[in-house]
Amino acid sequence: QVQLVESGGGLVQAGGSLRLSCAASGRTFSRHGMGWFRQAPGKEREFVATINVISNTNYADSVKGRFTISRDNGKNTLYLQMNSLKPEDTAVYYCAARTSTLRSYYATDYEYWGQGTQVTVSS
């Protein structure tokens, strides 16, 4: 069982930056593929970024070049550095863990989810 707790969300102006963190419980964090997803009001949850156990990464086209996913296995923590934020990035951001070591774009591949953190970007 893995418990995930996100932090770092907030209100920021367009063009600004935020760094989200996701703290994981337990001693197996280094063996999990991880991902960030987001859900805006009235929309479905969508893929943002994913990272495998050796820190290979993939991104949604909408965030490529602006967001960076990373992990610190010594601290059991996943990060999402978000730069050049846009109003359309406004959403609740969720981190997720899967029992596989691999990356995935699909929310259904992840077994564990955090409670989410709100990111609001004003224009």
Side-chain angles (χ1 to χ4, degrees):
Q1 189 79 6
V2 177
Q3 293 184 325
L4 304 171
V5 179
E6 300 98 336
S7 62
L11 173 64
V12 64
Q13 288 188 332
S17 298
L18 283 174
R19 188 176 80 156
L20 305 184
S21 299
C22 173
S25 66
R27 293 177 286 182
T28 62
F29 176 77
S30 64
R31 300 200 290 268
H32 292 279
M34 302 293 296
W36 286 99
F37 292 79
R38 67 187 182 186
Q39 187 166 17
K43 295 188 176 181
E44 293 188 353
R45 191 170 298 191
E46 66 173 1
F47 167 74
V48 175
T50 182
I51 187 168
N52 66 9
V53 296
I54 57 171
S55 293
N56 297 127
T57 60
N58 286 102
Y59 298 91
D61 287 344
S62 59
V63 307
K64 202 171 294 183
R66 300 188 298 121
F67 290 11
T68 303
I69 186 172
S70 62
R71 65 191 300 160
D72 185 333
N73 290 335
K75 295 183 178 180
N76 278 12
T77 303
L78 178 73
Y79 301 101
L80 186 68
Q81 178 66 44
M82 304 186 295
N83 299 328
S84 302
L85 282 161
K86 304 175 181 180
E88 52 264 44
D89 295 318
T90 295
V92 177
Y93 283 71
Y94 299 90
C95 74
R98 57 188 310 225
T99 53
S100 168
T101 60
L102 304 177
R103 294 165 284 181
S104 177
Y105 299 93
Y106 304 107
T108 52
D109 284 343
Y110 292 83
E111 290 85 3
Y112 306 104
W113 291 83
Q115 83 289 348
T117 185
Q118 176 71 47
V119 171
T120 303
V121 184
S122 63
S123 57

